[in-house]
Amino acid sequence: MSESGVNAELAAAPAERPARVRVQRRPLHGVLLLDKPLGLSSNDALQKAKWLLRAEKAGHTGTLDPLATGLLPLCFGAATKFSQLSLDADKRYLATLALGVRTTTGDAEGEVLERRDVDGITQAQIAAACAGYVGEIDQMPPMYSALKHEGKALYEYARQGIEIERKSRRVTIHAIDIVAMHPGTVTLDVRCTKGTYIRTLAEDIGAALGVGASLAALRRTGSGSLTLQGSVTLAQIEALPDDQRAGLLTSPDCLLADAPELRLTMPDAVRFLSGLRRRVEAPDAERVRVYGPEAHAFLGSAHITAGELIADRLLTPPEVQALLEKH
């Protein structure tokens, strides 16, 4: 083959791809209080954090829309056993409503359907409208939501112009307080049960005011006993050296902070970890945090019935040891 033919063949050959760097995963156990950024889905935030920490196993504790920012507790390793507790916990939000603006989606991402003058709306009127939604209420899940119908999210149907029949759900709004007012907007501190649609609440408050409203911004500030205090952003994690990132994790027992604590002797701790029931001198309780004799020896969750300690979720001995070594 001529030299020109060889050169032509080399030019036509596909360029070699650079070798892909394989991330060495590691077992981590704990909870990361992530301050989720705007525009990122909960799963995308989880995957990014999991990659930054090189974690083997991780999961989040309930979704935040891409439009929302704020507290997203992420569970790693042994903490995933208790993630349902955070999912079921009450939530707290700062919700900014655009008064007089109705949109197709109930938030700032939708097309504007109507704009109305709100100059005459007073703080007293807003407070009265909010008061009408405090307590147990029935909410209709919005079409632009992640709720599933036949395996597809409702928002997928909504984007195709398809309306799906939904059932209302009962939620509880514990409190709504006005924290700021500006021309055309009001920011509310909302404390509610899980599953509350804040966009729907914003629309309902707007309807009660007679001018309509939509959700301009949403920030989750609390989930159960967890708050934004001690939370970190993805940028803050990335700025840390790799060997310091695992230190951001809080012990899994933070997800049970509201439950009473019970400490066991070493023999009883060993039996408890094997799943055996134990007699204890403690009052009946729906949920307790159980520890061994060491200060940070979190063993799992249990309930107490008629003086008997019955395990609900248990850590494995290697997981307990990993938590002890961290301290």
Side-chain angles (χ1 to χ4, degrees):
M1 183 180 287
S2 68
E3 184 179 347
S4 60
V6 171
N7 289 339
E9 189 172 325
L10 289 172
E16 277 192 37
R17 294 181 180 178
R20 189 172 181 179
V21 178
R22 185 175 180 83
V23 177
Q24 186 66 41
R25 301 285 181 178
R26 54 185 172 175
L28 293 178
H29 307 287
V31 179
L32 178 72
L33 301 181
L34 182 69
D35 186 347
K36 188 189 84 66
L38 185 70
L40 211 60
S41 72
S42 295
N43 189 59
D44 287 342
L46 168 68
Q47 296 307 324
K48 177 72 171 176
K50 184 179 177 182
W51 181 80
L52 287 171
L53 271 69
R54 297 192 289 110
E56 288 181 351
K57 183 180 180 182
H60 60 66
T61 58
T63 58
L64 270 180
D65 287 345
L67 177 70
T69 66
L71 184 63
L72 182 66
L74 302 180
C75 295
F76 293 82
T80 60
K81 298 175 182 180
F82 309 96
S83 59
Q84 189 67 35
L85 298 176
S86 186
L87 182 65
D88 293 339
D90 287 351
K91 304 295 187 289
R92 188 168 188 170
Y93 298 94
L94 281 179
T96 299
L97 279 57
L99 301 175
V101 181
R102 292 196 309 110
T103 71
T104 53
T105 59
D107 59 26
E109 293 185 330
E111 296 178 11
V112 175
L113 294 172
E114 181 185 25
R115 292 184 187 274
R116 298 186 64 176
D117 179 59
V118 296
D119 285 345
I121 300 297
T122 66
Q123 182 169 331
Q125 288 175 311
I126 296 171
C130 291
Y133 291 94
V134 174
E136 285 193 356
I137 63 171
D138 289 316
Q139 276 195 333
M140 182 64 69
M143 276 302 300
Y144 280 90
S145 69
L147 195 65
K148 292 289 198 312
H149 174 75
E150 295 183 353
K152 285 173 59 177
L154 287 181
Y155 64 76
E156 294 182 54
Y157 293 100
R159 287 170 180 167
Q160 298 170 12
I162 301 171
E163 183 84 10
I164 300 296
E165 187 176 345
R166 290 99 67 204
K167 292 182 178 179
S168 64
R169 59 170 61 173
R170 178 61 58 96
V171 298
T172 300
I173 309 295
H174 299 301
I176 306 176
D177 295 311
I178 298 172
V179 295
M181 282 191 67
H182 300 285
T185 68
V186 60
T187 299
L188 307 174
D189 179 7
V190 181
R191 280 151 283 173
C192 57
T193 54
K194 69 165 188 174
T196 301
Y197 287 102
I198 306 298
R199 276 181 302 167
T200 300
L201 180 64
E203 291 181 307
D204 288 344
I205 291 171
L209 288 168
V211 294
S214 54
L215 190 62
L218 183 65
R219 182 163 177 76
R220 186 193 283 166
T221 58
S223 177
S225 61
L226 303 177
T227 69
L228 281 168
Q229 185 175 356
S231 66
V232 293
T233 65
L234 289 171
Q236 288 172 324
I237 300 171
E238 200 160 10
L240 283 176
D242 178 73
D243 61 356
Q244 294 181 25
R245 293 174 183 175
L248 297 171
L249 298 184
T250 303
S251 177
D253 59 348
C254 72
L255 297 173
L256 297 95
D258 291 336
E261 173 187 319
L262 180 69
R263 287 203 173 268
L264 301 176
T265 63
M266 183 59 75
D268 279 341
V270 172
R271 294 185 182 95
F272 176 75
L273 281 181
S274 68
L276 293 175
R277 298 186 178 195
R278 309 302 304 151
R279 299 294 302 178
V280 292
E281 292 185 9
D284 286 4
E286 186 178 332
R287 182 177 295 118
V288 291
R289 292 174 286 141
V290 184
Y291 298 82
E294 299 95 334
H296 301 284
F298 176 56
L299 307 180
S301 64
H303 61 279
I304 301 173
T305 302
E308 197 168 44
L309 181 68
I310 305 167
D312 292 325
R313 293 282 186 274
L314 293 174
L315 273 67
T316 64
E319 290 169 346
V320 175
Q321 187 60 37
L323 292 176
L324 286 172
E325 290 172 358
K326 183 179 178 181
H327 294 280

